[in-house]
Amino acid sequence: SSNLSKHKRYEDSSARWKMPRHSRVLQFMNVETSEDQDEIDVRLKVQDHTRQGTFLRLRNRDFRHEALKNYSSPRVGSSGAKNDVQYLNSEPKTRTENPEYINSASPKSADLPSRHTRRNSTERPVRRLPKVLIIGAKKAGTRALLEFLRIHPNVAGSGPEPHFFDRNYHRGLDWYRNLMPKTFHDQLTIEKTPAYFVESAVPRRVFDLDPNMKLLLMVRDPVTRAISDYCQAASKHPVRPFEQMAMLNESQGVVNSKWSAIRIGVYDRHLYHWLQVFPFEQIHIVDGQMLVDQPAAEVALVEKFLGIPSFINDSHFRLRSFKGAFPCLVREDGSIHCLDRKSKGRKHPRVRPNVLRYLRDYYRPHNERFFRMVGRTFDWNG
Ligand SMILES: Nc1ncnc2c1ncn2[C@@H]1O[C@H](COP(=O)(O)OS(=O)(=O)O)[C@@H](OP(=O)(O)O)[C@H]1O
């Protein structure tokens, strides 16, 4: 049904469907993926014989690969991405005089923060490797954090999750750099890949690239996180009830600790691997619950950690506007930008209280250890 609604959306918004053949993509303006990476939303400028500078938006699972591959030297050609193209009516109105700054025309641009483009500067923005990583944890609010930080003039974030240090390491640094947005010298490049936190090979690889890398680790009550993870899985394929997945033996209270939804929440174990390699001073813990309740305050702590001027404040957020619970961003023009409605704020199932209790018991010693490691406590033990 999600496929149906996806296509319906395009039907509604556009009569024309086909990617122009042999078109050359001039510029990717904005690339966003849903958190589970199976969708991509790309705004790009293409050129072919007939339509100079058409702006397209694509949303297509297969195109993700194509888009990433072409991110730096874009060429789509007849990519086979049919039925997934939406022609945007017109080129955005602002800042089209100078094609160099075409990225800044999109308010959501992943390439350059629109309102902060140095229009008088002679400096040419270039792609740089990240100085900051959001390493996880999965389902803790990592997408929200990245979206929020991206409104900062000194921050530029890559939209999709590169998964460089885990599954794409063999592709090399040029591949990685090409996924990054173009930045000026005073902008920090950030990427987020929540899988990094739980892959034990990753810390060393990150250190080898940049021993000064700043690491943002978001955390959320591991029980709620597990349920959120379960909901994501359930949205993709049929699953058994949460209780059955989480427990090996419910009557005896044996938790299925091998299930990834459970395993990821054992924060002390994962953090241990990072602390074998990085000093704690290079890791900043972001409280996922606080990012929901008081986003400006939580982001202010991140700004401080990153050593960038304090910029993001309450006026950037509309609290509890997304699914009644989550904050959304207020854009410069006053419009509201919420995170992807399909993949965020899913309804969590009611989990049987005894299972919740077993899970709390399971996580308690891990939580306590994690609290000691980071020198603060969270309200997770129920
Ligand atoms: N502002 C805002 N809008 C929407 N959602 C928000 C926001 N802030 C935090 N969250 C929480 O983010 C949860 C998803 O976490 P991630 O983005 O880390 O997921 S992922 O790892 O990228 O898959 C998502 O999990 P669910 O509640 O299960 O949907 C939200 O709880």
Side-chain angles (χ1 to χ4, degrees), residues 235-264:
S235 74
K236 292 196 219 162
H237 49 82
V239 287
R240 289 181 289 140
F242 178 84
E243 289 85 348
Q244 279 181 33
M245 307 272 289
M247 304 300 295
L248 283 180
N249 184 330
E250 188 176 335
S251 57
Q252 290 179 20
V254 185
V255 168
N256 182 2
S257 56
K258 295 236 158 57
W259 183 32
S260 67
I262 301 294
R263 201 167 34 82
I264 292 171

Side-chain angles (χ1 to χ4, degrees), residues 34-36 137-144 148 161 192 194 218 220 224 227-229 231-232 288 291-292 322 326-328 338-339 343-346 348:
S34 66
E35 91 284 25
D36 40 12
K138 187 183 175 200
K139 305 316 296 178
T142 54
R143 172 61 60 190
F148 295 173
E161 293 175 7
K192 82 122 182 160
M218 288 204 69
R220 179 185 191 185
T224 324
I227 299 171
S228 173
D229 215 337
C231 290
Q232 179 167 310
L291 197 76
V292 173
F322 179 50
F326 299 110
C328 297
C338 300
L339 265 59
S343 66
K344 306 291 169 186
R346 293 187 180 104
H348 289 193

Side-chain angles (χ1 to χ4, degrees), residues 34 96 128 136 236 337 369:
S34 66
T96 49
R128 297 163 218 259
K236 292 196 219 162
H337 169 57
R369 186 151 172 263

Side-chain angles (χ1 to χ4, degrees), residues 173-223:
L173 285 178
D174 287 342
W175 178 89
Y176 189 37
R177 191 184 294 104
N178 281 338
L179 296 182
M180 296 302 135
K182 288 185 176 171
T183 54
F184 294 99
H185 71 278
D186 60 351
Q187 289 180 300
L188 287 175
T189 300
I190 300 191
E191 67 111 328
K192 82 122 182 160
T193 303
Y196 291 163
F197 182 48
V198 299
E199 295 292 333
S200 55
V202 169
R204 171 54 59 187
R205 290 173 174 181
V206 174
F207 188 87
D208 286 346
L209 173 66
D210 183 355
N212 297 315
M213 189 76 84
K214 291 191 170 168
L215 307 166
L216 297 173
L217 171 61
M218 288 204 69
V219 287
R220 179 185 191 185
D221 175 347
V223 177

Side-chain angles (χ1 to χ4, degrees), residues 27 29 92 94-96 98-109 111-119:
Q27 193 85 50
M29 299 172 59
T94 53
R95 298 190 183 164
T96 49
N98 182 355
E100 192 67 280
Y101 291 117
I102 204 74
N103 283 311
S104 63
S106 162
K108 290 199 294 179
S109 169
D111 252 24
L112 287 176
S114 61
R115 41 216 167 298
H116 316 297
T117 304
R118 288 83 166 144
R119 301 191 69 202

